[in-house]
């Protein structure tokens, strides 16, 4: 279902309400007609991230000519201890085939620290000259001891070590954004885990990686309102909340982004509306308001330009 | 020795000679002594925690004198290496005429290597035609379950086969596979979507069986496809179906990625180069996990999966690959009105080489029944009750000229009793192949039997569909349809082909009973569907 892949993610109702005349009585939405070939209900393409295999920027060691060498897209990884497991630290790791032959190759992944990488090995076919990248996820439990560790990638003796620092949540550099990596919850979320609430406080305000964990999508099509909450580490004076909604060339905010919402803050245990946005068509809206001391923020979503879902890439809160 | 040569040596049973000549007797004693009666529950049924045969055993691609025996060592099936050390491991195998292994006819030894996910593919040769055999494997002190298999006959007046497709693991339980196993067919055809590439929810979807984090993301790399097979093949009902009979498998799209076409991946967001890497990984994992011979082993993104099987003069099966060589789906795929590009004669479903191979084979065949075991519906399926027609671009309707070439080729070659077996759409359908589907009065040239899914789509709806023998208003060539889960069972004799659509009422919990939803017979020389036995 080629070009409909991402469209499906955004219009699930239309995708399953197909039935053929051979089964003329089966017009219900959960009963796909003969030509709907995928099991649309439980595992349908509604929420599949793109395959992780892709060529990306990478650094590897300069040696290993005529060999398959491990590569990674970053020189250092930071993992927050006790961070939301729905939004692990991600690093693109892989292999580059520097030989002139097409090969199948295995890479082992070892970590000497207080966490387990999402995959112990990576295996793939590698055409000559091809570089493979796949996502490796790292989560550290709350009790993980902060410190410097190393991730070791090894392809038949060719190795690459990537330093990993485990840091406490309170020690991360947040640039003044009080919502960064703080606990996020939502009224509903697409079940697959590809649109977690924590994706909207992960520090990535670009729309890259939508459907790959970088943003929140509610789980109730055409049901409004939805709520998206972030709990701060304590009371702070707030005067500005920035909201990034889905906005790419293919899925512009004017067609798919959030249109109407209220910005609320929790002060003294009570939610109060501090700003309202209506008729938005932009990817970023900065709401400024009279300073108020609050320990949580809420986005009360009222409508999107596509009418179906709330899609938030990032929420930031400032003094 | 390089990888290829080592593998090809392992895939034959040539090492058997060494065993028989030098150590054969001692080996036989050792193997036999430890296992008095493997069928007795008190036999070594107490499996150790790291029992390496947790994925069961399988056999496949039966010829008159040989069959492929398969297993894959995995102590921890949900890990990329199956919990096995990164080293090769010796595996012994034996074949006997009886399930107690008192009449052993073949045995040998091979290696399970980490490069192939510790899979074992043994081609047991020197067998007799049309015979039932039993086989098992041993590694170290561990002995596998016993599988039953059967070679193809040289002459036969009866063939019992079953065919199945579309078994999404998170969509439901494999009860239908269990019932299929209990029928003890001579051979099982699997028409694709044996496995789905999708990520699996933490709660295992409808199975409510937790699966580890590594399963959240879609398959792409070889290690990821391997653990997906590890999960699927851990299912006891699927294992029972493999254990009961030899399988002949082909693939559809989900063994790789949804609705891919040749080198074009879904969504247009994967480059051709990247998609071919994914395809290579998917093909490799498929071969590792199925009872296939060496010629079917992929070389990177290419694999020769189409092949032919004969069951005496009774039936000849052309097993097709409708994904690897096809033209890209038109008009954005899905169901479309119009889209006249679908009539373009340059479009292909099978690719020129396979199409020629198919027609040449059909032309040469002397068999009573000539079967195409393939993926997507070949009958025209109009999905709109009103005019104009709305057709699916992924089915043969999106490749009309290619279908016409097959049909014309069948008529020109006076092919006897064409039967098309199909999967893909999660529906049971029985239909008559028309020379011109838009003209109900045109000649009926054969039949198509579309088998529904094993589990994909969930429970289904038994109230849906067309009763056997009915006629659909816009698709008058369709004589039966049912949106239920199950498989299809066929009994083939020189006089008639009998088809039973076997269905289960639910898959969201185990233990569903099975019933026959519809029965059709087709008489030799009279293409068409007659209701009842």
């Amino acid at each position: 279902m080629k070009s409909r892949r991402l469209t499906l993610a955004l219009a699930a109702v239309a995708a399953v309400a197909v039935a053929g005349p051979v089964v003329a009585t089966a017009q219900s939405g959960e009963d796909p007609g003969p030509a709907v070939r995928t099991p649309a209900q439980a595992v349908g393409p509604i929420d599949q991230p793109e395959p992780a295999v892709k060529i990306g920027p990478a650094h590897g060691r300069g040696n290993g000519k005529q060999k398959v060498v491990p590569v990674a897209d970053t020189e250092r990884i930071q993992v927050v201890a006790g961070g939301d497991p729905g939004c692990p630290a991600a690093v693109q790791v892989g292999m580059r085939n520097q030989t002139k032959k097409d090969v199948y190759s295995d890479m082992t992944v070892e970590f000497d620290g207080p966490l387990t990488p999402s995959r112990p090995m990576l295996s793939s076919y590698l055409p000559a000259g091809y570089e493979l990248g796949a996502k490796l996820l790292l989560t550290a439990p709350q009790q993980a001891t902060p410190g410097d560790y190393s991730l070791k990638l090894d392809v038949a003796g060719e190795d690459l070590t990537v330093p990993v620092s485990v840091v406490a949540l309170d020690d991360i550099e947040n640039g003044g954004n009080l919502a960064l990596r703080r606990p996020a919850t939502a009224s509903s979320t697409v079940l697959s885990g590809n649109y977690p609430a924590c994706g909207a406080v992960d520090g990535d305000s670009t729309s890259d990686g939508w459907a790959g964990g970088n943003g929140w999508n509610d789980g109730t099509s055409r049901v409004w309102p939805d709520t998206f909450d972030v709990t701060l580490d304590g009371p702070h004076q707030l005067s500005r909340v920035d909201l990034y909604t889905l906005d790419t060339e293919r899925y512009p905010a004017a067609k798919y982004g959030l249109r109407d919402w209220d910005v609320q803050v929790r002060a003294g245990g009570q939610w109060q509306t501090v700003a309202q946005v209506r008729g938005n068509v932009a990817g970023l809206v900065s709401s400024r308001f009279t300073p108020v001391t609050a320990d949580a923020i809420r986005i009360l979503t009222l409508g999107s330009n596509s009418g179906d879902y709330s899609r938030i890439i990032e929420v930031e809160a400032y003094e | 020795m390089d990888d290829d040569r080592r593998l090809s040596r392992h895939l034959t049973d040539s090492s058997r000679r060494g065993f028989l000549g030098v150590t054969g007797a001692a080996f036989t004693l050792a193997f036999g002594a430890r296992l008095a009666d493997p069928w007795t529950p008190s036999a070594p049924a107490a499996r150790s925690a790291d029992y390496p045969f947790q994925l069961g055993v399988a056999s496949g691609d039966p010829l008159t004198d040989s069959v492929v025996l398969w297993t894959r060592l995995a102590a921890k099936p949900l890990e990329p290496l199956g919990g096995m050390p990164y080293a090769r491991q010796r595996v012994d195998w034996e074949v006997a005429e009886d399930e107690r292994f008192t009449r052993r006819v073949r045995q040998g030894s091979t290696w399970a290597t980490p490069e192939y996910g510790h899979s074992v593919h043994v081609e047991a040769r020197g067998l007799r035609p049309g015979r039932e055999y039993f086989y098992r494997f041993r590694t170290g002190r561990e002995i596998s379950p016993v599988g039953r298999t059967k070679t193809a006959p040289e002459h036969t007046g009866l063939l019992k086969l079953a065919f199945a497709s579309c078994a999404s693991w998170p969509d439901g339980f494999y009860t239908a596979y269990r019932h299929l196993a209990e029928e003890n067919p001579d051979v099982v055809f699997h028409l694709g979507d044996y496995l789905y590439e999708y990520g699996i929810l933490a709660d295992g979807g409808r199975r409510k069986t937790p699966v580890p984090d590594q399963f959240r993301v879609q398959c792409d790399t070889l290690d990821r496809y391997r653990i997906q097979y590890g999960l699927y093949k851990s299912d006891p009902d699927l294992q029972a179906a493999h254990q009961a009979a030899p399988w002949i498998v082909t693939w559809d799209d989900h063994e790789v990625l949804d609705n891919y076409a040749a080198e074009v991946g879904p969504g247009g967001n994967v480059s051709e180069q990247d998609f071919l890497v994914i395809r290579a990984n998917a093909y490799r994992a498929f071969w590792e996990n199925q009872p296939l011979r060496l010629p079917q082993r992929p070389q990177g993104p290419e694999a020769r999966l189409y092949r032919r099987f004969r069951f005496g003069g009774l039936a000849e099966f052309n097993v097709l690959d409708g994904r690897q060589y096809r033209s890209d789906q038109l008009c954005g795929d899905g169901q479309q009105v119009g889209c006249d590009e679908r009539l373009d004669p340059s479009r292909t479903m099978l690719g020129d080489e396979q199409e020629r191979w198919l027609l040449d084979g059909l032309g040469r065949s002397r068999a009573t029944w000539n079967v195409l075991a393939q993926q997507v519906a070949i009958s025209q399926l109009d999905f709109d009750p009103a005019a104009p027609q709305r057709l699916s671009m992924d089915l043969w309707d999106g490749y009309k000229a290619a279908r016409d070439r097959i049909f014309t080729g069948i008529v020109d070659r006076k092919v006897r009793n064409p039967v098309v077996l199909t999967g893909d759409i999660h529906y049971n359908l029985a239909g008559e192949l028309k020379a011109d589907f838009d003209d109900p009065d045109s000649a009926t040239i054969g039949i198509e039997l579309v088998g529904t899914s094993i589990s994909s789509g969930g429970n289904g709806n038994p109230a849906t569909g067309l009763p056997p023998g009915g006629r659909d208003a816009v698709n008058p060539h369709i004589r039966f349809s049912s949106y239920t889960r199950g498989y299809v069972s066929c009994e083939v004799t020189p006089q008639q082909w009998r088809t039973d659509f076997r269905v289960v009422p639910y898959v969201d919990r185990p233990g569903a009973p099975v019933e026959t939803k519809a029965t059709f017979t087709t008489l030799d020389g009279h293409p068409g569907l007659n209701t009842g036995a």
Side-chain angles (χ1 to χ4, degrees), chain A residues 148-166:
Chain A
D148 293 328
Y149 304 96
S150 54
L151 184 71
K152 189 180 167 198
L153 312 174
D154 188 295
V155 183
E158 294 292 313
D159 60 15
L160 173 66
T161 299
V162 184
V164 177
S165 3
V166 173

Side-chain angles (χ1 to χ4, degrees), chain B residues 422-482:
Chain B
T422 302
D424 174 53
I425 53 177
H426 313 169
Y427 253 90
N428 281 312
L429 295 177
E432 296 173 342
L433 303 178
K434 306 299 284 186
D436 177 0
F437 284 108
D438 289 325
D439 175 8
D441 295 327
S442 69
T444 296
I445 63 169
I447 61 169
E448 178 172 29
L449 306 169
V450 181
T452 190
S453 58
I454 290 286
S455 59
S456 303
N459 286 346
N461 182 352
T464 322
L466 187 70
R471 278 205 195 271
D472 179 55
V474 292
N475 299 290
H477 46 279
I478 299 296
R479 309 304 309 277
F480 164 66
S481 79
S482 168

Side-chain angles (χ1 to χ4, degrees), chain A residues 269-291:
Chain A
Q270 297 293 315
W271 289 105
Q272 60 185 80
T273 300
V274 293
Q276 293 188 320
V277 178
R278 296 292 183 270
N280 171 60
V281 293
L284 163 64
V285 176
S286 204
S287 298
R288 292 171 190 276
F289 43 88
T290 308

Side-chain angles (χ1 to χ4, degrees), chain B residues 175-214:
Chain B
T175 317
Y177 275 146
R178 173 69 64 173
H179 290 296
L180 182 157
E182 285 164 2
E183 294 194 8
N184 262 345
D186 297 321
V187 61
V188 175
F189 288 86
H190 202 287
L191 305 178
D193 295 348
Y194 180 96
L195 160 146
Y196 284 69
E197 78 281 16
Y198 298 132
I200 298 176
L201 302 181
D203 67 353
R206 287 200 181 82
R207 291 199 180 212
K208 302 297 171 221
T209 304
V211 293
D213 290 347
Q214 303 90 284

Side-chain angles (χ1 to χ4, degrees), chain B residues 320 322 326 342 348-350 355 358 372 374-379 392-404 406 420 422 448:
Chain B
L320 305 183
R326 68 155 72 186
R342 74 188 185 89
T348 180
M349 178 66 94
L350 302 177
E355 190 175 305
L358 173 62
L372 277 59
Q374 55 102 51
Q375 293 78 21
V376 299
I378 203 165
S379 297
S392 169
M393 295 300 109
D394 188 53
L395 308 182
W396 281 88
D397 281 337
Y399 304 77
K400 183 172 185 299
R403 175 174 66 204
D404 289 346
I406 304 292
V420 179
T422 302
E448 178 172 29

Side-chain angles (χ1 to χ4, degrees), chain B residues 92-114:
Chain B
D92 307 317
W93 57 272
E94 62 176 343
V95 179
E97 291 177 349
D98 65 316
E99 55 201 84
R100 296 169 64 94
F101 288 85
T102 57
R103 296 194 305 280
R104 186 177 292 105
V105 295
R106 282 287 179 269
Q107 63 193 40
S109 188
T110 185
W111 294 101
T113 66

